[in-house]
Amino acid sequence: MKGLIKYIILFVFIFIGSAIRMEGSDREPLLARDSSYVLRTPKADFLEKYKKDAAFDYTQKIQDGPTIWDRIKRWILERLFRMKASEGSLQALDIILYILATLVAVGLVYVVIRNRDKFLFRRREEEFFPDDSVEYTGEQEADAFVRLLAKAEQDSDYVLAIRVSYSGLLQMLDKKQVIRWEASKTNRDYIYEIKNKAWSRTFEEISRIFDHVCYGEFPVSEAEYQNIKRYFVDFRKEVES
């Protein structure tokens, strides 16, 4: 019985070994050699066209943080207006600030144009007599204003002529000790300083004309200037008599 079992076991091993060899002979090699295979290497610019293509850009782009201007706008909305900063509110604030900046710029231009005589006054003054000043500084003598007035009238610059005439009055009143000239004083200060009531009222009227003509940009014709000049001449004669 034992001999029979040995033969059976031996037969099984022989059968299994034969089956394995047959199966191995039927399989094709996993890595079959191809005689037409040629080793190729990519060109130097092979990857460049893909690097330039946004579809192949897998790098993470870092967005810029808020600028100082963005922080200021957020502070205005959240601190001053107690509003939550959003994209819509920030855009609305941009429009409002743009309008305000435009209004400020227009206002500055208007102020410069309205007061152009003040900004250009030094240049106009130097065209006449470099040693003289149209505005009274407490030092000029009467003949300086006489020369400037004659030049302004000759050039038909009646606004300048009125300015010179007014400065000449201040010079005369200061010399007569009717007023005490100081650079910090205004025309209103001189009106209150004049003790003679009639003179004070006349000087107030002359000061009003001076302000309207020189700072109100009212055009002055030759006929109008002759009427205005009469106020200056009559008042000077009254004080000097």
Side-chain angles (χ1 to χ4, degrees), residues 25-68:
S25 61
D26 294 338
R27 290 182 179 179
E28 295 181 358
L30 293 178
L31 297 176
R33 291 183 175 275
D34 187 357
S35 59
S36 63
Y37 174 78
V38 178
L39 179 63
R40 295 183 298 175
T41 57
K43 296 181 180 180
D45 59 346
F46 175 75
L47 295 178
E48 293 301 324
K49 62 179 181 180
Y50 296 101
K51 290 181 179 180
K52 296 178 181 180
D53 191 346
F56 294 92
D57 186 6
Y58 301 105
T59 60
Q60 183 179 2
K61 296 182 179 180
I62 301 176
Q63 297 182 351
D64 295 333
T67 62
I68 296 178

Side-chain angles (χ1 to χ4, degrees), residues 145-158:
F145 294 110
V146 171
R147 295 196 304 271
L148 290 171
L149 179 60
K151 179 64 175 176
E153 291 178 341
Q154 180 182 353
D155 293 342
S156 299
D157 192 345
Y158 301 120

Side-chain angles (χ1 to χ4, degrees), residues 173-188:
L173 293 173
D174 185 31
K175 295 299 181 182
K176 292 287 185 179
Q177 297 183 351
V178 177
I179 63 171
R180 183 177 179 182
W181 181 88
E182 291 181 7
S184 59
K185 287 183 178 180
T186 64
N187 296 340
R188 181 61 56 181

Side-chain angles (χ1 to χ4, degrees), residues 103-146:
L103 292 176
V104 170
V106 172
L108 291 176
V109 172
Y110 173 77
V111 170
V112 171
I113 294 176
R114 184 177 180 84
N115 298 276
R116 61 181 180 272
D117 290 340
K118 294 181 181 179
F119 294 106
L120 300 176
F121 192 71
R122 180 66 61 183
R123 182 178 296 177
R124 291 180 62 188
E125 173 186 317
E126 292 176 356
E127 291 176 356
F128 296 133
F129 303 96
D131 297 332
D132 294 331
S133 175
V134 175
E135 299 290 349
Y136 180 55
T137 62
E139 299 178 355
Q140 300 99 316
E141 296 298 330
D143 58 344
F145 294 110
V146 171

Side-chain angles (χ1 to χ4, degrees), residues 3-237:
L4 180 60
I5 293 174
K6 291 180 180 179
Y7 284 115
I8 292 173
I9 294 173
L10 178 62
F11 176 77
V12 170
F13 277 108
I14 293 172
F15 178 78
I16 292 173
S18 299
I20 293 174
R21 285 195 297 272
M22 291 177 64
E23 182 180 1
S25 61
D26 294 338
R27 290 182 179 179
E28 295 181 358
L30 293 178
L31 297 176
R33 291 183 175 275
D34 187 357
S35 59
S36 63
Y37 174 78
V38 178
L39 179 63
R40 295 183 298 175
T41 57
K43 296 181 180 180
D45 59 346
F46 175 75
L47 295 178
E48 293 301 324
K49 62 179 181 180
Y50 296 101
K51 290 181 179 180
K52 296 178 181 180
D53 191 346
F56 294 92
D57 186 6
Y58 301 105
T59 60
Q60 183 179 2
K61 296 182 179 180
I62 301 176
Q63 297 182 351
D64 295 333
T67 62
I68 296 178
W69 178 238
D70 292 333
R71 294 178 181 177
I72 292 175
K73 291 189 295 184
R74 288 182 178 273
W75 184 89
I76 293 174
L77 288 174
E78 296 175 355
R79 299 293 182 177
L80 296 183
F81 298 103
R82 304 296 182 182
M83 294 175 58
K84 184 178 180 181
S86 62
E87 184 176 355
S89 61
L90 291 173
Q91 291 177 354
L93 183 60
D94 279 333
I95 296 174
I96 294 173
L97 293 177
Y98 176 78
I99 294 174
L100 290 177
T102 302
L103 292 176
V104 170
V106 172
L108 291 176
V109 172
Y110 173 77
V111 170
V112 171
I113 294 176
R114 184 177 180 84
N115 298 276
R116 61 181 180 272
D117 290 340
K118 294 181 181 179
F119 294 106
L120 300 176
F121 192 71
R122 180 66 61 183
R123 182 178 296 177
R124 291 180 62 188
E125 173 186 317
E126 292 176 356
E127 291 176 356
F128 296 133
F129 303 96
D131 297 332
D132 294 331
S133 175
V134 175
E135 299 290 349
Y136 180 55
T137 62
E139 299 178 355
Q140 300 99 316
E141 296 298 330
D143 58 344
F145 294 110
V146 171
R147 295 196 304 271
L148 290 171
L149 179 60
K151 179 64 175 176
E153 291 178 341
Q154 180 182 353
D155 293 342
S156 299
D157 192 345
Y158 301 120
V159 174
L160 180 59
I162 292 173
R163 186 187 293 274
V164 172
S165 298
Y166 192 82
S167 296
L169 281 187
L170 291 179
Q171 186 270 345
M172 182 270 295
L173 293 173
D174 185 31
K175 295 299 181 182
K176 292 287 185 179
Q177 297 183 351
V178 177
I179 63 171
R180 183 177 179 182
W181 181 88
E182 291 181 7
S184 59
K185 287 183 178 180
T186 64
N187 296 340
R188 181 61 56 181
D189 293 330
Y190 295 131
I191 293 172
Y192 292 137
E193 191 175 346
I194 299 174
K195 303 302 181 183
N196 188 304
K197 299 300 181 182
W199 293 358
S200 179
R201 287 192 297 269
T202 303
F203 186 75
E204 181 177 8
E205 179 65 16
I206 293 175
S207 298
R208 184 184 65 83
I209 295 173
F210 167 76
D211 289 337
H212 284 195
V213 171
C214 295
Y215 301 115
E217 297 186 352
F218 289 95
V220 179
S221 64
E222 182 178 2
E224 291 171 335
Y225 170 69
Q226 294 301 328
N227 292 331
I228 295 173
K229 181 179 179 180
R230 190 173 298 112
Y231 281 91
F232 288 91
V233 174
D234 292 345
F235 181 67
R236 178 182 288 274
K237 289 181 179 179

